[in-house]
Structure formats: C-alpha cells, structure tokens
Amino acid sequence: MDVQNKTVVLTGASGGIGQSMAQELAKQGARLILVGRHSAKLETLAQSLDGEHLSIAVDLSSHDGRHQLFEYCARNGPINVLINNAGVSAFEMVENQNDSEISDLLSTNLTSPILVTKGLLPLLQMAGDGGVVYVGSTFGSIGYPGFSAYCASKFGLRGYCEALRRELSDSGLQVFYLAPRATNTALNSSRITELNRELGNTVDDPLIVAKALLKQLHTDKINCYIGWPEKIFARLNALLPVLVDTSLRKQLPVIRRLANSHRD
Ligand SMILES: NC(=O)c1ccc[n+]([C@@H]2O[C@H](COP(=O)([O-])OP(=O)(O)OC[C@H]3O[C@@H](n4cnc5c(N)ncnc54)[C@H](OP(=O)(O)O)[C@@H]3O)[C@@H](O)[C@H]2O)c1
C-alpha cells in the first residue's frame, strides 16, 4: 500500500511510537489526522511535520470522544487508512491489580480500537483503497507474568484483527497487524525499564517501529513481528508452550520483585 496522498487517521499520535510514525508517514506524503488526548502536543507535532495535517484531541475510551472523532473524520474525509496505535500498559502481579485499572486498560487497548474501527469503517469503505492497522505487541502472542491484563488486551486485538481481515477479504481494504517488542517510550515505567535491563531484553528506538510500519504497508505484509528472538519465541509459544513456561518460570523471581518494588 502506498500512503502518498492518502488520509491516515493515527491514534496515539502524541506518544513515542506515534510521533515517529507520524514523521515517517508525513515524509511519504500522507495527510494525517493526528489523534491523542492533549491538543497542545498534537498541534506542536502537526506543525513539526512535512505537509499540512489535522489533529483532534479526544479520549477514545469514551463514547463521546469516539463520536467526536467520527464526525471530525466525516467532515475531513475521505479516510483511507486507520492506524490503531493508542495504548496503555500496566505492570502488576494479578493480586495487586486494581479493578478500575484493568477495565480502563481493556477499554483503551481492546474495546476502543474495535469501536473506532466500526465507527470509521463506512468512511474507509467509501474510499475503498486503504486499510486498517492494529499495533499489537510481542505480548499479544506470549502470555507474560506481571502483564496479564495487557497480554489479554493484545491477544484480543490480534484475534479481532485476524477475523476482520477475513471478513474484509472480498473488499478493497487491507488489514495489518504490527507487533513491536519493548520500545523506548513513556509507556514503560521505570520498573519496566529496569525489568528489561535485568533480563537483558533489547529495547528498540520508536523509529525502528515506524520504519517497520512503512515497510509493512509498502510490501503489503499482513503480520509484522519486530525482533528476532521475540519472533521465534512467539512461534515456539504457539507450538511448544511448555518450553516457554520453563523459561519464564526462571524469570519469575525478577519479574515479581520488580512488579512489587513500588510497594516497598
Ligand atoms: N513501548 C513499548 O514497549 C511497546 C511495545 C509493544 C507495543 N507497544 C504498543 O505501541 C502502542 C504505542 O505505544 P507507545 O509506546 O508509543 O506509548 P506512549 O508513548 O505511552 O503513547 C501512548 C499514546 O496513546 C494515547 N492514548 C492513551 N490512552 C488514550 C485514550 N484513552 N484516548 C486517546 N489516546 C490515548 C496517548 O495520548 P496522550 O499523549 O494524550 O496521553 C499517546 O499518544 C501501544 O498500543 C502499545 O501497546 C508499545
């Protein structure tokens, strides 16, 4: 898919990965509708990009926020591409998770992209030559201790994406799934950063994710998993989960210590 002269709705545009994606998409000649919750951040980003772009500040986890977005897009269409990138994370052992944090996380990471897709689908279908991207995670393929609600949201998103791709297979729209591994953004608290350091996990620059997206769209690759060990680990988890159980069991003391370290 070529994004030149296409209108691309990018959620989570003000975040670490979103800003890099916005820069790379703008360089390729896309016209962006930048979506986040803070208008000042979005306007600063829009002004820093090549070309003319629009922005709207809404809370995607609220009914009103989503409907403001749908109306804004209807006024500023056609809409060719939707990139569902907004997300939040939580690093807690199950017994310490707060009920409202679990609901908020599932709402932002799973329910909202589903409802945003549904709301924008008529506009995407009207344009007919674009598609939808879901930003998942390695944790959408590997259940990881300390991230159970986040994993549930990303596993769910991957399933939704697969079903939608099959449902739209007789339309002109394409459906893509992009799974970054750990990436250096504000999504990761200091405890997550320390976890990645202690476990020796590679942490990517957001530009790596943005470039992977552009390559994925350019080559029409439906699924893109970033990072070699993570890619293999995800496949191994699907084929021989017991091996991954054993490996993660060894990491559990470090995971538990860091998940609980802010409670000391
Ligand atoms: N960073 C990683 O290690 C990593 C790894 C794998 C996958 N991912 C995925 O990559 C995506 C982007 O993450 P990131 O690392 O760039 O995170 P980030 O820097 O924290 O940015 C998150 C973005 O989502 C927006 N957002 C959050 N809740 C929202 C809501 N209710 N309504 C509207 N916008 C909302 C934020 O808007 P505001 O600025 O207005 O708050 C921000 O633009 C997420 O889906 C994440 O799960 C990240």
Side-chain angles (χ1 to χ4, degrees), residues 10-19 21 35-39 41-42 56-62 84-89 104 107-109 112 134-139 150 153-154 157 178-188 192 196 203-204 206 209:
L10 174 62
T11 75
S14 50
I17 290 175
Q19 288 187 38
M21 284 180 171
V35 187
R37 284 174 297 191
H38 301 97
S39 52
K41 273 199 219 172
L42 295 169
I56 175 168
V58 290
D59 181 348
L60 293 173
S61 61
S62 88
N84 289 289
N85 167 65
V88 290
S89 178
D104 291 351
S107 167
T108 302
N109 291 7
S112 300
Y134 295 89
V135 178
S137 167
T138 304
F139 285 0
Y150 183 76
S153 71
K154 296 295 185 180
L157 196 64
L178 172 63
R181 62 178 169 185
T183 307
N184 186 15
T185 73
L187 185 90
N188 296 319
I192 300 179
N196 285 324
V203 180
D204 286 328
V209 182

Side-chain angles (χ1 to χ4, degrees), residues 93-111:
M93 303 312 278
V94 167
E95 64 272 21
N96 293 324
Q97 286 171 354
N98 171 293
D99 289 6
S100 65
E101 272 170 12
I102 296 173
S103 304
D104 291 351
L105 184 146
L106 291 172
S107 167
T108 302
N109 291 7
L110 180 59
T111 314

